[in-house]
Amino acid sequence: MTTRRTFLRGATTAGLAALWPGVSHALRANRAGSLLVPMDDRQADHLKAYGLAFRALERGEAGEWLLNFQGGAFLLPASEAATRDASLSGVTIEAVSALDVAGMHAEIARSNAEAVPLEKVPKVAVYAPPNAAPWDDAVRMALNYAGIRYDRVWDPEVVGNRLREWDWLHLHHEDFTGQFSKFVINNAGAPWLQQMIELQQSTAKALGMPSVPALKRAVAEQIASFVERGGFLFAMCTATETLDLALASAGTDIAAAYADGTPMDPQATSRMQWDRALAFTGAVLEQSPSMAVFSDIDGHEVNGANRQPLGAFTLFNFSAKIDPVPSMLVQNHRNVIPDFYGLTTSFRRSRIKPGVTILADEPGAPWSKYIHGEHGEGTWTFYGGHDPEDPQHGIGDAPTDLSLHPHSPGYRLILNNVLFPAARKKELKT
Amino acid sequence: MRGIWGGGIFLLCALTPLSAQRTQPVVGEIAVALSAERRGDLPQAAAGFLKILAERPGDGLALLGASRVLPTLDRREELMPLLGHALAIDTANTRLLGLAVRNWALLGRSDSARVYALRWAALFAGDEEPFREWALSALEIRDRVGAKAALELGRARIDHPAALAPELAQLRQAEGDLAGATDEWLRAVSNAPTYLPSAVLLLGVASPKDQSAILNRLKERGSPEAHRIRGLLRVRWGEPEEGMAELAAVVPDRLEGATVMIRLALDDLAERRDPEARRAAARGYELLAAKQIGAERLQSWMAAASAWADAGKESEARRLLGLISADPAAPADVAAHASHTLLGVLLAEGSVAAAESLYTTIEPRLTLDERDLDQRRLAFAWAMRADFDRADALLERDSSVAGFDMKGRVRALAGDLSLASEWLRLAGPYADERLAAVERVQLLALVSSIGRDTLPAFGAALRTLEAGDTARAITGFAALAHGLDSTGAAAVHLFAADLALARRDTATAVHLAEAASGDSAAASAPAARLLRARILAERGQVAAAISLLESVILDFPASAVVPEARRLRDQYRGAVPRGGGG
């Protein structure tokens, strides 16, 4: 498994590049020619371009990610397979000569840009219940659309300590407090809810857990250990908030009676151990079992009394040479992106731990949208909201068809995370 | 669980001075303690309240302050002797008794909570509040045994069969005693019909395997209330028509009760568009209308008519719309809207002359949009009957995009391909809803590629298709293709093959697709290959279909069908939802 530490150590070539770009880049680009995959407005299908780069890596065709250059372009070795793949996928590519590549590298060297080698194919796992269709999970939709292979894992694999088999783990709208997303009271009788509850309860029983909240807390602990050992975690929607709530609630009952037979501890807020959480601290828990809000971490509270309207969030501009990791995570052809709701839409800044990197926020609003941090040897990235192209997403809505949104800047952020573990980054200077 | 048990009393909010303090104002000391509490300095606040209480045990403000602050400091035990002293002074103070019950229960001391609850209950015979307070407080610390004891003692002490029934119902349900919960809800609803929504909401969460037990229990009980709950549950649990029929027999006499019951059922049906649910909704609206008068009744009739029409029951819709149109009390806009809907129903029935006659009558009352829409609907209906002059006359003054679109369609139905192309081109590819625009462009592409100015056989086949007889239309298109040049024949064959595939007649689709390939001219080759790929996918040969689509993309990179080929490839590979995005 690649860990944050190992890819930070592999720094020599790229480090030299910053000092003497002509030599090292020319060495890397000394091929019969290269294919430039522009990621600015010339690109016909931004999302599939990530799949093109991923599959090139799978074929052993190591490339480069040109951060802050033409929208975060990719440079791949020219090959018949890549050309065919691009044609089938409808991805825009441009054949470039070694001289062109040297010119690009020179431009990168003198601007706020960086060329990051893409070398290793990350092993990707998505945490999803066995009966979940892919169309209600933005990451699975993005991976399927881009054509990036992944494995599915769920509670048995996680509790069975098998996460070490993967480099990258994604969580979507799982409720790690084990309260079935707090839909139980307001969606009573809905077949999908009954099915969800029965599946979760039978899984908890099969794994020897006394309740679903107990199972989900055990799963959350395993996921935190995965990151601590060097894994890459990406979470969206309510998985972000509830993962931290589950981690911080060790020894405290934060689940409603319908989940574990006993009501939430009325003193739960004061008993949370936030040092165990990844991203958040000091949150006040929502006591009502019928309100599909977990805490005051979420600034928007889509199902709460204080629901906030959607605005737009702005990606931060990082120094590609000094901060390649956050730079990779924000590569995009758009800087301002329309916001979208989720059971957890955003992260109130007052609840984010010091030291967490804010990747995107809504100017003037008290919340952030996209955050990143480290835990042990690994890293985590949290992205609020459910589906970037379905801003008002509701249960039972028609699935999003990404072929209608091939340029989605919101989905690009997801795919940046998928490719990020493939990169070998030079040592951070900050 | 606390939310389900909502409705608890909040004694701490009632800061009325107690009798012991009225003669001894302590503004200075209490102000200091309250100020400390507001600052969040709870230890100092507690010290202040305790100091006052040491001097004046009956001081109400200080006691309430202590009851807020001490539990937060995890010093609830210290509160109890203070409450004891205060109650020794003011023995019949229900606020103090409530505090005592609550705090003893929160300490897990059911025996003491019981003593104070009984003392409180003795002051007000028949009051449920002491037992409810005890039960709710016990549940806050997850003491279900204590809660059960409280509620059962209350039931035993209060001489009423429905005493604490909603609380007991939820307790029984939490214990898995569904029969007991059902009986308790029945008692609650019989005693107070306003509990009907709560009963349905909470019984409604029962798992599918428990649902029949609940329904059977309600059937055994047989009272009107039992049938009301049962009918609503059946609507909720997937038997909308049966449930609505059961409700129809037990509609409460009073409008308010009837409205609550029927609206509950209609709310459950609101998200469902299938005919069964729409029929049930139509019956529900009619039940509601039967209880209403004036504008409310007209609205319910309109909703019922709309639901009947959605369910394909035009005659039922007509009956109601006729009632609305004929109602002299109906406001002009409601009557016009009903007539407009009725016109649609008449057209769906094929009564075009009657529809036009109705249109002539109501035209002055219609909005401009409604008038244009009705004219287009009538024009299309006449064109379908091959009366193209009447159709053209209705559209004569319509210069909207939708009007151009309809003129093009009417000309296509007449087999006048040259004019059809002209009007469809004027309508353009973007306006209207996406699906309508796509259909228009497809029709334009087809009539343009046939290469004739007029072709009555095409119009006849198209009318057959619009009338819903796809099989005969396919035969008609295949027959007329023989007289066309290769490009036109390929286009018509492909169109017919597409129709055959849509009705899953793959044998005919293959035959027609082969004919299209045989006719083929290079221009239609990628489209023919695309169609063959769809046929392969329809037959389950997905890998072969993908391979064929890839050949379309790679061999004809400049073809207009390449985006569609990529899209189908994505669908077959599971990269996007099948049929989604439309």
Side-chain angles (χ1 to χ4, degrees), chain B residues 182-480:
Chain B
T182 306
D183 286 345
E184 291 295 352
W185 276 123
L186 204 44
R187 288 190 189 101
V189 174
S190 301
N191 184 52
T194 51
Y195 278 116
L196 183 64
S198 304
V200 174
L201 176 71
L202 292 164
L203 286 174
V205 301
S207 64
K209 65 182 187 309
D210 294 326
Q211 290 170 3
S212 60
I214 294 173
L215 293 178
N216 289 339
R217 188 72 165 193
L218 289 165
K219 194 174 180 183
E220 281 168 28
R221 295 299 182 244
S223 64
E225 291 79 12
H227 283 296
R228 284 175 196 137
I229 298 173
R230 191 169 187 272
L232 287 168
L233 289 175
R234 291 178 81 184
V235 170
R236 177 163 287 202
W237 290 340
E239 293 182 297
E241 287 196 280
E242 294 83 351
M244 197 61 82
E246 189 158 357
L247 293 176
V250 288
V251 178
D253 292 334
R254 293 173 64 91
L255 173 63
E256 192 183 346
T259 305
V260 167
M261 182 189 82
I262 298 165
R263 287 278 174 208
L264 276 174
L266 291 172
D267 286 349
D268 276 351
L269 295 170
E271 299 296 318
R272 290 184 52 179
R273 309 306 298 172
D274 55 291
E276 190 188 5
R278 297 304 288 156
R279 286 195 297 272
R283 291 204 173 91
Y285 282 116
E286 286 211 55
L287 286 175
L288 201 54
K291 289 283 177 187
Q292 295 169 322
I293 54 169
E296 286 187 338
R297 183 174 63 178
L298 290 171
Q299 281 172 359
S300 293
W301 274 342
M302 275 301 298
S306 171
W308 282 124
D310 290 348
K313 293 275 188 183
E314 280 87 5
S315 60
E316 298 289 341
R318 272 184 74 179
R319 173 176 57 80
L320 291 170
L321 292 167
L323 284 174
I324 299 166
S325 300
D327 190 331
D333 58 332
V334 174
H337 183 52
S339 302
H340 172 70
T341 309
L342 178 57
L343 188 140
V345 170
L346 287 169
L347 288 176
E349 284 180 342
S351 310
V352 188
E356 185 158 7
S357 169
L358 175 65
Y359 171 73
T360 309
T361 312
I362 63 173
E363 187 188 1
R365 286 182 286 158
L366 295 176
T367 64
L368 280 177
D369 284 347
E370 284 175 336
R371 200 171 61 199
D372 286 348
L373 178 61
D374 283 350
Q375 282 179 341
R376 288 195 287 272
R377 291 197 296 180
L378 282 165
F380 184 77
W382 284 124
M384 286 294 290
R385 299 195 150 206
D387 193 337
F388 303 110
D389 291 341
R390 289 178 91 158
D392 288 340
L394 280 160
L395 297 171
E396 200 173 20
R397 286 177 299 173
D398 193 339
S399 57
S400 65
V401 168
F404 293 161
D405 175 271
M406 185 53 72
K407 286 175 186 178
R409 287 174 195 265
V410 165
R411 284 293 99 205
L413 290 170
D416 182 354
L417 306 188
S418 173
L419 268 179
S421 289
E422 208 168 298
W423 286 120
L424 292 171
R425 201 167 276 128
L426 272 175
Y430 299 119
D432 285 348
E433 289 179 1
R434 181 171 173 267
L435 193 60
V438 169
E439 275 182 10
R440 178 163 62 245
V441 170
Q442 285 172 339
L443 182 59
L444 174 61
L446 179 62
V447 297
S448 302
S449 55
I450 287 175
R452 298 270 188 93
D453 286 344
T454 58
L455 187 59
F458 179 85
L462 201 57
R463 292 199 301 277
T464 308
L465 178 65
E466 293 285 0
D469 188 350
T470 311
R472 206 155 65 85
I474 291 168
T475 308
F477 285 121
L480 73 89

Side-chain angles (χ1 to χ4, degrees), chain A residues 176 213-214 216-218 220-221 244-255 260 262-276 285, chain B residues 142:
Chain A
F176 288 99
K216 294 299 173 186
R217 187 177 290 137
E221 297 284 358
D244 259 18
L245 293 179
L247 291 172
S249 68
T252 302
D253 183 354
I254 62 166
D260 61 0
T262 56
M264 183 176 177
D265 182 340
Q267 304 299 322
T269 293
S270 62
R271 293 184 178 152
M272 297 291 273
Q273 301 170 49
W274 292 106
D275 56 320
R276 302 170 60 87
L285 273 58
Chain B
R142 290 155 281 168

